[in-house]
Amino acid sequence: MDALLSEKNRAVRRSIKSFCEKEILPVAKDLDQEARFPWDIAEKMGKLGYFGIQVPKELGGAGLDTLSYVIIIEEISKACGGLGLCVTVHNSVSVYPILAFGNEVQKNKWIPPLARGERIGAFCLTEPNAGSDASGIEATAIKDGDFYILNANKVFVTNGGIADTCLIFARTNPEAGRKGISVIVAERGTPGFIVGDLEDLSGMRANPVSSIRLSDCRVPITNLLGKEGMGLTIGLTALDTGRIGIAAQALGISVAAFEEAVKYAKERRQFNVPIAKHQAIQMMIADMATEIEASRLLIYQAARLRDAGKPFSKEAAIAKLFASETSSKVCDMAIQIHGGYGYSKSYAVERYYRDARVTRIYEGTAEIHRMVIARSVLEG
């Protein structure tokens, strides 16, 4: 597969792989069990440019391409799914919308500290009554002089417990339906900005997912991203890129589970031979290897299209759908190969199984992706 990569891409993989093996992998189990975000590791990652992967160098980023972004997310997620989630959400649906839709003042204000990892970004769309139907949000932003007064209850916010710079989707014109939704940047520390309790989730436990509530939170009108009414356009554009990142995250988890399963199958003996000698195990390993390779090719295709400036929405949806469903299947088979041990927290495949499951839900459920793909095919 490396034959499809440039020398720069391969150098990026070597660098991030070495970092993950040294800094993340040794503590990944503890981060999961303690539901702890590793600030010390995040600080090191910020200095290496991992929080500004595709940010131009003049704004403090690494200035890398989408394929490099995919490689970095895959390797971090292979070591720790929760940390991989933090990095991909920060880069794709927090930093990117500001780069794509922000004015020069906004970009110069917010992007450099985000790119250096000094501030963490969050994408605040989901509400108790609005998930897959993004147009159903109830948050409001009412003008009051030079300010918006924000009232919102955002739930399941990835990075919510640590985020400093939050993209808030709210109704600036309640009578305009879908066209009345806008994106306004709200910052931690503003009066009325309230971070809720962390969610006690099944997987991705190193990521501090929480609710974020805004109660009569006064935010300058200058924090409006793009124009009023552009909210869903900004959100859907960001999610196209985000889906490539989540696909890469799912791929990283798949690879981790696969490698553990292969290692265990070679070591574990039953009926006087390693279980890798048994055809039933070989069939599972073959299926895992095939679907992992297919996932990677689909992800690379979407990344290359984005780098070439070509439409990639359908390809991103296909990659996210296939890679996320593959991840669940691969992790399930990895547990099966481990037998009873696979169901124990003493073995990493149990963690991978929990982490993999949610990739079929966030940034668009598998069902929504099938709708996106079908609509693209039928209208094309």
Side-chain angles (χ1 to χ4, degrees):
M1 191 63 71
D2 273 4
L4 300 177
L5 304 177
S6 68
E7 179 51 41
K8 186 172 184 178
N9 294 145
R10 289 193 287 271
V12 167
R13 187 183 292 282
R14 289 193 296 270
S15 177
I16 184 61
K17 189 177 182 69
S18 174
F19 178 85
C20 290
E21 289 176 349
K22 178 182 178 183
E23 302 288 346
I24 303 176
L25 197 57
V27 297
K29 179 179 179 181
D30 293 337
L31 297 179
D32 173 74
Q33 292 185 342
E34 298 167 13
R36 173 170 56 88
F37 182 76
W39 280 109
D40 54 336
I41 296 174
E43 183 177 353
K44 295 175 183 177
M45 293 171 67
K47 293 177 180 178
L48 293 171
Y50 296 142
F51 284 102
I53 299 171
Q54 294 190 268
V55 172
K57 292 183 178 181
E58 57 267 26
L59 286 173
L64 297 174
D65 60 9
T66 309
L67 201 50
S68 294
Y69 162 65
V70 161
I71 291 167
I72 290 169
I73 299 305
E74 177 191 342
E75 291 295 337
I76 296 174
S77 301
K78 179 183 173 184
C80 175
L83 195 51
L85 176 60
C86 170
V87 176
T88 186
V89 165
H90 174 92
N91 276 276
S92 63
V93 294
S94 303
V95 172
Y96 170 66
I98 299 174
L99 277 175
F101 296 95
N103 57 42
E104 290 306 308
V105 173
Q106 291 171 332
K107 286 189 279 190
N108 285 317
K109 175 184 178 181
W110 290 318
I111 293 298
L114 286 168
R116 293 191 295 264
E118 295 168 359
R119 297 179 72 83
I120 302 297
F123 182 85
C124 304
L125 176 63
T126 304
E127 298 178 2
N129 295 316
S132 294
D133 179 12
S135 65
I137 66 170
E138 298 169 351
T140 59
I142 307 301
K143 279 185 179 178
D144 180 28
D146 294 332
F147 292 84
Y148 286 110
I149 299 179
L150 285 169
N151 283 282
N153 180 21
K154 301 297 183 179
V155 298
F156 294 117
V157 179
T158 300
N159 297 344
I162 57 172
D164 306 285
T165 306
C166 299
L167 277 61
I168 307 294
F169 288 75
R171 292 188 178 277
T172 47
N173 184 353
E175 287 75 39
R178 296 172 61 90
K179 296 181 179 179
I181 298 173
S182 305
V183 178
I184 299 166
V185 177
E187 300 181 86
R188 181 190 286 261
T190 305
F193 186 109
I194 304 165
V195 179
D197 294 335
L198 297 185
E199 297 286 350
D200 188 11
L201 300 178
S202 172
M204 300 293 172
R205 293 175 57 79
N207 189 284
V209 175
S210 74
S211 61
I212 288 181
R213 297 190 299 277
L214 303 174
S215 178
D216 292 334
C217 184
R218 294 174 64 83
V219 174
I221 284 178
T222 53
N223 283 23
L224 174 70
L225 201 58
K227 298 178 181 179
E228 285 195 357
M230 288 182 63
L232 291 187
T233 297
I234 293 172
L236 293 174
T237 301
L239 286 170
D240 280 342
T241 301
R243 286 163 179 167
I244 298 177
I246 298 301
Q249 181 198 29
L251 173 62
I253 297 169
S254 294
V255 173
F258 175 68
E259 290 182 355
E260 286 294 315
V262 170
K263 178 184 175 183
Y264 185 83
K266 290 179 177 179
E267 295 173 350
R268 173 69 168 167
R269 297 179 66 87
Q270 289 290 277
F271 304 103
N272 298 318
V273 296
I275 62 172
K277 295 288 187 180
H278 298 303
Q279 193 175 57
I281 301 298
Q282 293 174 2
M283 296 301 100
M284 283 191 278
I285 289 174
D287 287 345
M288 294 161 83
T290 300
E291 296 202 27
I292 286 172
E293 289 297 292
S295 296
R296 184 174 282 113
L297 286 169
L298 288 170
I299 295 166
Y300 282 11
Q301 174 183 243
R304 288 183 184 280
L305 286 171
R306 184 175 187 272
D307 283 335
K310 296 180 179 180
F312 65 95
S313 180
K314 180 184 74 173
E315 288 76 14
I318 290 173
K320 199 271 191 182
L321 173 65
F322 190 86
S324 62
E325 294 201 335
T326 290
S327 193
S328 284
K329 287 189 282 186
V330 166
C331 291
D332 183 75
M333 285 189 280
I335 285 180
Q336 195 69 17
I337 288 171
H338 278 71
Y341 291 113
Y343 204 60
S344 166
K345 289 184 181 294
S346 298
Y347 286 76
V349 290
E350 180 272 342
R351 167 165 54 92
Y352 301 147
Y353 182 80
R354 288 185 285 108
D355 285 348
R357 183 59 182 87
V358 75
T359 63
R360 291 158 55 194
I361 298 174
Y362 51 39
E363 296 210 24
T365 64
E367 292 73 25
I368 288 294
H369 280 85
R370 286 184 166 88
M371 291 170 60
V372 169
I373 296 163
R375 187 179 301 121
S376 178
V377 171
L378 295 171
E379 293 178 356

